[in-house]
Amino acid sequence: MRIGKLAERTGVSRRLLRYYEEQGLITSSRALNGYREYKESHVDVVLQIKGLLDAGLPTRIIQQLLPCLDKPQTIYVPNVTPEMIATLQCEQARLSERIESLTRNRDAIAGYLDTVLSVKAANIQSRATS
Amino acid sequence: MRIGKLAERTGVSRRLLRYYEEQGLITSSRALNGYREYKESHVDVVLQIKGLLDAGLPTRIIQQLLPCLDKPQTIYVPNVTPEMIATLQCEQARLSERIESLTRNRDAIAGYLDTVLSVKAANIQSRATS
DNA sequence: CTTGACCTTCACATCAATGTGAGTGTTTAA
DNA sequence: TTAAACACTCACATTGATGTGAAGGTCAAG
């Protein structure tokens, strides 16, 4: 699969795909003509990256993270340094904070919408009965 | 309260506080000497902004959002345009998506950490008994 | 063989969130 | 009264994630 296809399959622009590669997030083999060649599995990886980026993780963290999130859950657990573990735990905590914050805010919005909409409904009601 | 104090209380740099003001996220009154003056309530507002920014919302959205998230929940519900409601509903949905994505990723990390740590524990165990 | 749709690299642009520093005025406290 | 701490504005710098476009190679189809 070439870059255009991968872009289409993942919704990530060609530009970004090259950028991810430049940042060491993905790799590609090259055809004779120099074109990048991707395997089916890259689709999932890119989607994963997209998700993590969307989650607010910077590329350099994702880069460390990716080898650890492989499907086959390689139990070999190769070179996990204590620093890596610490990084992950830290990142996990930050994610949790972020989630809480987001949830609070979403609920606040929901509450506001509820109020607004019910008041609106009441107004319509009162107009109808007046 | 002047800007330094507010910065200290919120953990947001003076620079950023001025930036938030420039972006229309907060307001300040000016003392005779031109110094910005903040009220106690600004602390909460700034923390709220910080949370939203941290959650990944851009300033221009936060700007629309803030007047709706006021504590006193003004039931008067002043100028709520249908567009505003639509914006909020949209933003609410986006927040939910983001929360889901974040949660998935946090859980993935948690799972990985679990694996790694348990393997590590097992290693230690086996070393001890060998 | 040409045209259009791909691909390549390189480089400059942008946007948001920040930092940093210069140059200057103000308040505070020794 | 002077020094330190704080405030102001303005402006340039940076970082990360992106967009955009130029200049050129490749390939398939008409």
Side-chain angles (χ1 to χ4, degrees), chain B residues 29-45:
Chain B
S29 48
R30 296 301 182 109
L32 293 175
N33 52 16
Y35 286 13
R36 288 173 178 79
E37 278 295 340
Y38 300 97
K39 287 180 299 180
E40 201 57 29
S41 62
H42 280 94
V43 174
D44 283 330
V45 174

Side-chain angles (χ1 to χ4, degrees), chain A residues 6 26-28 37-47:
Chain A
L6 185 59
I26 54 179
T27 55
S28 61
E37 279 294 339
Y38 299 98
K39 287 181 299 179
E40 200 57 28
S41 63
H42 281 93
V43 173
D44 284 330
V45 175
V46 169
L47 289 177

Side-chain angles (χ1 to χ4, degrees), chain A residues 4 14 18 30 35-36:
Chain A
R14 295 146 212 254
R18 299 198 186 100
R30 296 300 181 111
Y35 288 13
R36 289 173 177 80

Side-chain angles (χ1 to χ4, degrees), chain B residues 3-128:
Chain B
I3 201 171
K5 195 67 185 302
L6 185 59
E8 183 190 328
R9 296 276 296 276
T10 58
V12 172
S13 71
R14 297 147 212 254
R15 171 68 173 88
L16 258 301
L17 290 174
R18 298 197 186 101
Y19 175 70
Y20 292 167
E21 180 172 331
E22 187 185 315
Q23 299 299 307
L25 301 186
I26 54 179
T27 55
S28 62
S29 48
R30 296 301 182 109
L32 293 175
N33 52 16
Y35 286 13
R36 288 173 178 79
E37 278 295 340
Y38 300 97
K39 287 180 299 180
E40 201 57 29
S41 62
H42 280 94
V43 174
D44 283 330
V45 174
V46 169
L47 289 177
Q48 174 106 48
I49 292 172
K50 192 181 179 186
L52 289 167
L53 271 180
D54 205 59
L57 302 201
T59 50
R60 67 178 175 288
I61 299 288
I62 299 179
Q63 190 189 349
Q64 300 183 285
L65 226 52
L66 277 180
C68 310
L69 298 181
D70 263 348
K71 311 286 152 52
Q73 280 295 18
T74 47
I75 294 298
Y76 283 161
V77 183
N79 32 17
V80 242
T81 65
E83 297 81 44
M84 189 61 203
I85 293 182
T87 298
L88 286 180
Q89 285 173 332
C90 174
E91 215 50 45
Q92 187 188 11
R94 287 192 40 207
L95 281 178
S96 290
E97 271 182 40
R98 222 181 177 80
I99 290 170
E100 267 182 57
S101 167
L102 281 172
T103 304
R104 267 198 309 277
N105 283 300
R106 183 195 53 183
D107 294 349
I109 293 175
Y112 176 73
L113 279 173
D114 270 5
T115 308
V116 167
L117 293 180
S118 71
V119 166
K120 223 175 180 177
N123 281 349
I124 291 171
Q125 185 64 22
S126 72
R127 252 198 300 278

Side-chain angles (χ1 to χ4, degrees), chain A residues 96-112, chain B residues 47-52 54-55 65 69 73 92 95-96 99:
Chain A
S96 290
E97 273 182 39
R98 230 184 173 76
I99 291 170
E100 267 182 58
S101 168
L102 280 172
T103 304
R104 267 198 308 278
N105 282 301
R106 184 195 52 184
D107 293 349
I109 293 176
Y112 176 73
Chain B
L47 289 177
Q48 174 106 48
I49 292 172
K50 192 181 179 186
L52 289 167
D54 205 59
L65 226 52
L69 298 181
Q73 280 295 18
Q92 187 188 11
L95 281 178
S96 290
I99 290 170

